[in-house]
Amino acid sequence: MTAPVARSSPWIYRGVWKILVDCFRVPDHPPTLPVADGDFYRSFQPSRAFLSYLKFNFWVVAVVIDLLIAVALGVVAIEADKLALVLTGIAIPLLLVGHLVAYIALHLRYDTMWYVITDRSLRARRGIWVIYEHTITFENVQNVYLRRGPLQHLFGISEIVVETAGSSQGEAESPFASGNKLLVQGIEDAAELREQIMSRVSQSRSAGLGDDRPASPTSGFSPRHLAMLCEIRDEIKCL
Amino acid sequence: MTESPPPPQPFDASKITRPDDSLLVYYLLVAACTVVGFPFVFLPLWIRFKTLRYRFDDTGVSMCWGYFFRREVHLTYRRLQDIHVTRNIVERWMGLSKLPLQTASGTAGATMQIEGIRAPEPLRDFLYAQMRGARNETLDSESDDGEDDVLGVLTEIRNELRRIRNEPAGDET
């Protein structure tokens, strides 16, 4: 990459970002969650390795598409030289523009992904055209699983899926649309984050669905109750 | 990165009874996208808009719509599993948003989809605050007077036992 390109690309990107924020009303600040003062609060984005991972995917797909088009043009060139020349003239600018748009979109996708985690809940936001914000409390979480493909392994990232109760239609791969799954992508310290989530999930006393707070405090005697019961026992002993 | 969120503002959800008027414009645009099918798409949406009512009360939220095909949906806050806020680009331009609410029911889609809300964040935060697990309930219930009742009864029992123990002793001497 030449120096002017390197210098102008962040500038162009900032321009695109500003257009999105101003004209397309993309929120430019991270999402927030209401918490009490002093409670744990952390908002984060996927790690930089996730961006590299997205770029790697982009290049693989781009090279495959370019090769396919080159082969197709070659086949046309065998039959008709002039037609192939014209088609090449159309295809190259189209491909360049397509690649550029996809490359910028990839950066935008990365920059619009946000996660907020507190002691009680998790919130995620993503999207450019349609912005999804998803909030779940740990009390409602049914299970948490960690996923890591071979390519993600190479980049040292994993993704965590947090599920609440409800039905998902098979392995719907758009957890943001399907409802009861929340996907946290591009996490470097995935095991640690999963432990964080799981420890909060296991702190919840109830089983998971509906209201099941005990109506009678039979199992929840406080020390004062116990002291009083002991006094009663002693009284009975003395009878 | 750690930063503190802005302080919550007072918000009265029970004031929301109707979707915002611009929802009708949005429906109009949606129907206009299906050029030929405009009347067939717009008429149900128009009826939906005209009959759509929300009611937020202390325990839950209900919405109803429809004239020929009437639907009423009720759900309690504590059964909420997930809250989403989705805004597509047209809705963002018009300042509208959807809040699909998810319970643990078997339907794949949202149990209830609240539409046509301006500034969804306060409503979302309100619903979030009502959700199960959003507040520290165990501490709340320990500090209330329900347990003091139990303690009072136990104290009475002890006092009664003490009286019984003391009475025969008094007779003998």
Side-chain angles (χ1 to χ4, degrees):
Chain A
M1 201 182 259
T2 52
V5 173
R7 255 183 285 125
S8 62
S9 56
W11 193 78
I12 292 171
Y13 183 71
R14 273 205 301 277
V16 171
W17 183 243
K18 192 164 159 48
I19 289 171
L20 277 181
V21 170
D22 290 348
C23 304
F24 294 87
R25 307 273 170 87
V26 174
D28 58 343
H29 50 85
T32 55
L33 257 175
V35 286
D37 289 339
D39 274 5
F40 176 79
Y41 185 89
R42 179 176 166 225
S43 77
F44 58 97
Q45 286 197 284
S47 76
R48 299 299 293 184
F50 182 64
L51 188 62
S52 317
Y53 165 73
L54 286 179
K55 281 182 183 170
F56 183 80
N57 279 353
F58 164 77
W59 284 118
V60 168
V61 172
V63 164
V64 167
I65 289 176
D66 291 355
L67 278 180
L68 280 177
I69 287 174
V71 167
L73 282 174
V75 171
V76 174
I78 294 170
E79 295 293 321
D81 288 357
K82 292 215 172 125
L83 182 64
L85 260 171
V86 173
L87 282 180
T88 314
I90 298 169
I92 285 177
L94 271 182
L95 275 180
L96 279 178
V97 169
H99 286 3
L100 193 67
V101 167
Y103 195 77
I104 291 175
L106 177 155
H107 271 273
L108 290 175
R109 175 179 167 194
Y110 175 80
D111 278 344
T112 49
M113 288 170 85
W114 278 99
Y115 303 104
V116 182
I117 181 170
T118 71
D119 280 335
R120 301 186 182 286
S121 48
L122 186 62
R123 174 169 291 171
R125 177 167 74 198
R126 68 174 277 187
I128 306 162
W129 296 114
V130 182
I131 294 175
Y132 298 100
E133 275 186 7
H134 190 172
T135 312
I136 54 177
T137 55
F138 291 129
E139 193 96 357
N140 285 329
V141 168
Q142 298 292 313
N143 66 56
V144 177
Y145 61 88
L146 210 146
R147 261 194 326 215
R148 182 180 221 180
L151 207 57
Q152 286 167 319
H153 184 80
L154 203 68
F155 283 95
I157 53 172
S158 332
E159 54 191 38
I160 293 177
V161 182
V162 184
E163 280 188 324
T164 60
S167 81
S168 54
Q169 287 187 317
E171 262 296 290
E173 275 312 304
S174 63
F176 275 81
S178 77
N180 66 331
K181 281 183 193 170
L182 195 151
L183 179 68
V184 186
Q185 279 181 307
I187 305 302
E188 268 173 347
D189 51 348
E192 194 187 313
L193 186 69
R194 189 202 45 206
E195 283 313 309
Q196 264 183 3
I197 294 173
M198 277 320 283
S199 69
R200 292 191 175 110
V201 170
S202 56
Q203 270 168 18
S204 121
R205 288 191 196 166
S206 54
L209 276 183
D211 302 338
D212 46 10
R213 280 177 299 175
S216 64
T218 44
S219 57
F221 286 119
S222 72
R224 280 159 75 206
H225 291 149
L226 210 60
M228 188 56 75
L229 282 169
C230 286
E231 273 186 53
I232 293 170
R233 180 198 59 197
D234 294 342
E235 292 286 336
I236 293 172
K237 266 188 197 161
C238 291
L239 276 176
Chain B
M1 189 155 80
T2 308
E3 52 196 66
S4 58
Q9 289 151 359
F11 169 75
D12 189 8
S14 60
K15 279 181 187 152
I16 300 176
T17 54
R18 290 274 305 138
D20 197 85
D21 286 342
S22 49
L23 183 66
L24 188 62
V25 184
Y26 176 68
Y27 280 166
L28 207 72
L29 286 175
V30 168
C33 288
T34 63
V35 184
V36 191
F38 178 81
F40 306 102
V41 175
F42 183 65
L43 195 67
L45 286 177
W46 184 72
I47 293 175
R48 181 183 158 90
F49 174 79
K50 282 290 171 197
T51 53
L52 194 57
R53 296 282 184 283
Y54 300 118
R55 205 180 71 239
F56 291 85
D57 57 27
D58 294 342
T59 56
V61 47
S62 59
M63 75 185 272
C64 55
W65 72 93
Y67 184 73
F68 298 111
F69 300 94
R70 183 108 182 125
R71 282 281 302 273
E72 285 187 31
V73 186
H74 303 265
L75 61 87
T76 50
Y77 299 132
R78 290 184 62 79
R79 301 277 166 167
L80 277 179
Q81 295 264 348
D82 310 52
I83 304 175
H84 297 240
V85 178
T86 64
R87 278 166 287 185
N88 66 31
I89 189 153
V90 181
E91 287 174 316
R92 285 206 298 280
W93 276 330
M94 301 175 62
L96 289 172
S97 57
K98 284 195 202 82
L99 272 94
L101 307 177
Q102 202 93 27
T103 63
S105 72
T107 51
T111 314
M112 178 188 273
Q113 181 153 315
I114 298 176
E115 278 182 293
I117 300 295
R118 269 184 193 282
E121 275 81 14
L123 179 63
R124 196 251 315 263
D125 288 344
F126 167 79
L127 289 171
Y128 167 73
Q130 306 292 321
M131 241 170 122
R132 197 163 153 270
R135 283 169 302 173
N136 200 347
E137 278 151 352
T138 47
L139 282 182
D140 289 350
S141 62
E142 262 170 38
S143 60
D144 68 13
D145 39 302
E147 296 221 334
D148 288 344
D149 283 352
V150 176
L151 200 64
V153 171
L154 286 176
T155 314
E156 273 176 43
I157 293 172
R158 184 201 58 188
N159 293 343
E160 198 69 15
L161 275 174
R162 199 170 273 171
R163 194 178 59 82
I164 292 170
R165 182 162 67 95
N166 288 338
E167 262 181 11
D171 283 349
E172 278 168 20
T173 51

